[in-house]
């Protein structure tokens, strides 16, 4: 009898959660997806809703840059956790040129379309940038899907928000559409503080490899130095040389943080 009562309560709670999700915008639903993952709650209903929404409805719903940023950051981070929690061995194939590649193979369904992590990061979030160009080259033939969902400018702070499953990645936060810019400032400062080594006696600063891989997004070396000053990582009058740390690709899941 006790087990039956517990099953009924859990069933009612699940139904209540589904009804609550029906009232959320898709940006808010992406926040709920991250929170469910962090708290060990089911995600299947949210995943199904994100997969089945029409492109038109999703585009209409993501009607501000704040909603767009929050939605795609949360979706990227959530699906890395979902996919690699189910099959961590997939991460071993992240550099494959032929066959399956964890980042470039379509394995996420959003608005009826199968897309890859690269499609989200470089196509939508980075506005159709060529992945291996350091941010200096744009894809001259972007697809209609990414053109529909991308926004006007590349925000370098997103590199300190996207978590690809590696130990050197930023922490995972639930990005709120109403607070996303504030949150991106917070996570950028925290990540730079955690990963930057400044040696004033050598006039040298060592930063995460992300600032090399996507150097055009940061405005080159001068832009990276400017960002370090903006977030008070180095003194305002410093003009150090810039070096980069090796990236630790050890798989590390579940690195959530409240921001």
């Amino acid at each position: 009898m006790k087990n039956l009562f517990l099953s009924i309560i859990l069933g009612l709670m699940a139904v209540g959660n589904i009804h609550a999700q029906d009232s959320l915008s898709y940006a808010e639903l992406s926040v709920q997806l991250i929170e469910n993952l962090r708290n060990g709650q089911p995600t299947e209903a949210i995943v199904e809703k994100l997969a089945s929404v029409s492109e038109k409805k999703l585009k209409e719903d993501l009607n501000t840059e704040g909603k767009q940023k929050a939605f795609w950051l949360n979706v990227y981070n959530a699906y890395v956790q979902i996919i690699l929690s189910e099959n961590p061995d997939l991460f071993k194939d992240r550099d494959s040129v032929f066959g399956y590649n964890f980042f470039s193979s379509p394995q996420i369904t959003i608005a009826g379309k199968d897309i890859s992590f690269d499609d989200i990061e470089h196509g939508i979030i980075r506005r159709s940038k060529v992945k291996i160009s350091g941010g200096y080259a744009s894809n001259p033939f972007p697809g209609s899907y990414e053109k529909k969902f991308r926004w006007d400018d590349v925000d370098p702070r997103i590199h300190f928000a996207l978590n690809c499953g590696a130990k050197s990645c930023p922490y995972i936060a639930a990005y709120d559409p109403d607070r996303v810019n504030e949150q991106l400032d917070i996570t950028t400062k925290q990540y730079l503080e955690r990963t930057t080594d400044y040696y004033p006696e050598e006039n040298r600063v060592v930063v995460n490899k992300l600032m090399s891989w996507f150097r055009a997004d940061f405005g080159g070396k001068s832009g990276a130095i400017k960002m370090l000053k903006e977030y008070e990582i180095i003194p305002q009058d410093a003009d150090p040389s810039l070096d980069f740390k090796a990236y630790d690709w050890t798989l590390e899941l579940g690195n959530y943080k409240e921001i």
Side-chain angles (χ1 to χ4, degrees), residues 87-232:
N87 190 352
D89 285 342
L90 293 177
F91 200 58
K92 297 175 182 177
D93 296 318
R94 62 184 179 273
D95 296 322
S96 300
V97 177
F98 301 104
Y100 175 86
N101 178 297
F102 177 71
F103 292 113
S104 62
S105 294
Q107 53 192 329
I108 306 158
T109 306
I110 303 293
K113 186 173 179 63
D114 294 334
I115 57 176
S116 69
F117 291 108
D118 282 351
D119 291 332
I120 296 174
E121 180 177 7
H122 308 296
I124 295 173
I125 294 178
R126 296 185 62 231
R127 193 171 174 79
S128 306
K129 294 296 182 182
V130 176
K131 180 178 179 178
I132 59 172
S133 72
Y136 290 101
S138 296
N139 178 4
F141 305 108
S144 60
Y145 186 93
E146 67 184 68
K147 286 196 292 185
K148 182 175 293 183
F149 291 111
R150 68 189 186 184
W151 49 93
D152 290 339
D153 299 308
V154 178
D155 185 340
R157 298 175 299 171
I158 59 93
H159 295 297
F160 308 121
L162 290 172
N163 180 292
C164 68
K167 189 172 183 177
S168 284
C169 287
Y171 294 120
I172 305 161
Y175 288 95
D176 186 298
D178 295 325
R179 293 186 58 234
V180 64
N181 280 312
E182 173 197 354
Q183 289 176 301
L184 283 171
D185 273 335
I186 293 169
T187 195
T188 294
K189 183 173 178 61
Q190 290 179 345
Y191 189 77
L192 290 174
E193 287 176 338
R194 183 163 61 93
T195 61
T196 303
D197 295 323
Y198 176 51
Y199 303 98
E201 69 283 356
E202 301 176 20
N203 197 31
R204 183 169 71 99
V205 64
V206 184
V207 297
N208 189 274
K209 196 76 169 179
L210 289 168
M211 298 185 92
S212 174
W213 289 334
F214 306 109
R215 50 195 174 275
D217 294 9
F218 294 98
K221 177 195 170 181
S222 61
I225 295 296
K226 180 181 178 182
M227 174 174 273
L228 293 174
K229 292 179 180 180
E230 285 177 354
Y231 289 95
E232 301 179 334

Side-chain angles (χ1 to χ4, degrees), residues 23 58 69 71 101 112 116 155 222 236:
S23 65
L58 184 59
K69 282 182 179 177
F71 179 83
N101 178 297
S116 69
D155 185 340
S222 61
Q236 293 298 314

